[in-house]
Structure formats: structure tokens, C-alpha cells
Amino acid sequence: MQRIAQLVFGRTTFQENEGDLKFSMHTKILFICMGNICRSPTAEGVVKEKLKAVGLDAQVLTDSAGTHDYHVGNPPDRRAQEAAKKRGYDLSGLRARQVNVRDFSEFDYVLAMDRDNHDMLMALCPEPLKQRVRLFLSFSRRYPDQEVPDPYYGGSQGFDQVLNMVEDAADGLIAAIRESRG
């Protein structure tokens, strides 16, 4: 099964269910930050809207999670929702959850907002799936070697900066997905 996963990574995903191999033509993306109430739901909301704009929303599925369980079940931070809404993104329907080991086999891309969360994910991720874990900003054209800063303890300008970075990386991610899908 590992050989099949390598052949279809990024284009097709699979699940083993009672011995059957099921294929899905969806590309699945999981965005990760610490608590899943600021950066990762912002990334999920931005990418969903951008996918709709280019007609890929039916082929690419998104989700977000946190490495910690501080806010499980809660909506995104009010300030994140307000900043996103000003730019046309609706985060109100999202709810925080914690990442789990199964996510690494379910998602083609597991994208961390910063190096600390990336390191936590790499420690949790099964060895054959580690290539799926990356920094989200590795897709950015303007901020490629940076991390998305956590705006939680700062003012509203931090949420605007997060949106600037996320929008740029979202464009790069979607371009990479379009290229991989042919």
C-alpha cells in the first residue's frame, strides 16, 4: 500500500476500509496552527474562497486543526473573523479541532503555519507520510522563508498581516495544485 500512496500522492488519495482500497480524485489540504482559532482557520477560509474563484472547489477539500486542544469546538477568534470578513472571507462556520494521526493518511498536504507546529507534526507523523508535512509559506512568493506569526496576543494589525501572508501562500498553493493535476 505504501508504494501505491507514493504513486498517487497529490492527485489521488486512498483509504483502506475493511480490506478494500478506495480511491478519491480529491486533493485534500489540512492547515495547522497551535489552537486552530486564528491562523489555520484563516488559511482554510481564504483557500476555500480562492478555490471557488478558479473552479476547483469541488476537486480540492480543505480543513484545519490545531496541535493543541485548547479551543476544540470553538469558532475562530472574533478578531480573525472580523479581519477575514473585511476581505470577503467567512470563517463563522468553522470550529476548532485537534490534529490526529489519521489526518496524515487522509490529507495530501498537511501545512503548518510555523516551525514549532511543523516540528510537532513531524514528531507525530508516521515515517512514510512525512513528505506531506510542509510549512504553508513554502508556497508563498513574497514570504517563502518565513512563518505565519501568531496574532493571538497582539492587536488587529496582526490579523491583517496574517491575511496578507495567507493570501499570497494560497495563490502559490493553488498554482502548485493546478500544475500537479495537469
Side-chain angles (χ1 to χ4, degrees):
M1 181 127 82
Q2 183 178 356
R3 174 89 173 122
I4 294 170
Q6 291 171 342
L7 292 173
V8 298
F9 172 69
R11 302 193 107 210
T12 306
T13 57
F14 65 89
Q15 293 179 313
E16 188 173 4
N17 186 9
E18 299 176 33
D20 296 332
L21 202 55
K22 294 184 177 181
F23 289 92
S24 167
M25 290 307 291
H26 291 107
T27 298
K28 297 178 182 178
I29 308 165
L30 182 63
F31 300 99
I32 306 287
C33 67
M34 184 183 297
N36 192 214
I37 60 166
C38 295
R39 297 170 289 172
S40 57
T42 296
E44 180 182 0
V46 167
V47 170
K48 276 184 180 181
E49 283 301 314
K50 287 183 173 278
L51 288 167
K52 280 183 199 171
V54 298
L56 285 176
D57 53 315
Q59 293 88 26
V60 182
L61 306 176
T62 62
D63 194 4
S64 61
T67 53
H68 294 72
D69 65 357
Y70 305 140
H71 304 287
V72 170
N74 292 338
D77 184 285
R78 173 190 50 79
R79 297 165 296 170
Q81 290 192 59
E82 289 170 358
K85 189 170 188 144
K86 287 178 187 172
R87 297 195 193 185
Y89 308 113
D90 181 10
L91 310 181
S92 64
L94 303 178
R95 294 296 176 264
R97 72 175 185 88
Q98 187 175 20
V99 69
N100 63 69
V101 174
R102 186 177 176 107
D103 287 328
F104 298 104
S105 62
E106 293 285 325
F107 291 90
D108 301 298
Y109 297 90
V110 179
L111 303 177
M113 297 297 129
D114 60 42
R115 286 178 184 83
D116 287 341
N117 285 294
H118 179 271
D119 292 348
M120 285 183 233
L121 292 169
M122 291 300 279
L124 183 63
C125 184
E127 190 63 42
L129 302 174
K130 288 188 185 283
Q131 79 277 6
R132 297 180 180 201
V133 180
R134 296 176 63 170
L135 285 171
F136 180 44
L137 288 186
S138 67
F139 291 99
S140 173
R141 293 179 182 112
R142 291 176 40 205
Y143 314 98
D145 297 322
Q146 295 183 35
E147 302 173 292
V148 180
D150 190 346
Y152 187 76
Y153 294 106
S156 62
Q157 73 281 359
F159 292 88
D160 290 327
Q161 174 66 13
V162 165
L163 276 161
N164 292 338
M165 297 174 107
V166 164
E167 286 175 331
D168 185 63
D171 291 339
L173 173 62
I174 291 169
I177 290 169
R178 291 177 102 169
E179 185 176 314
S180 75
R181 294 181 73 81

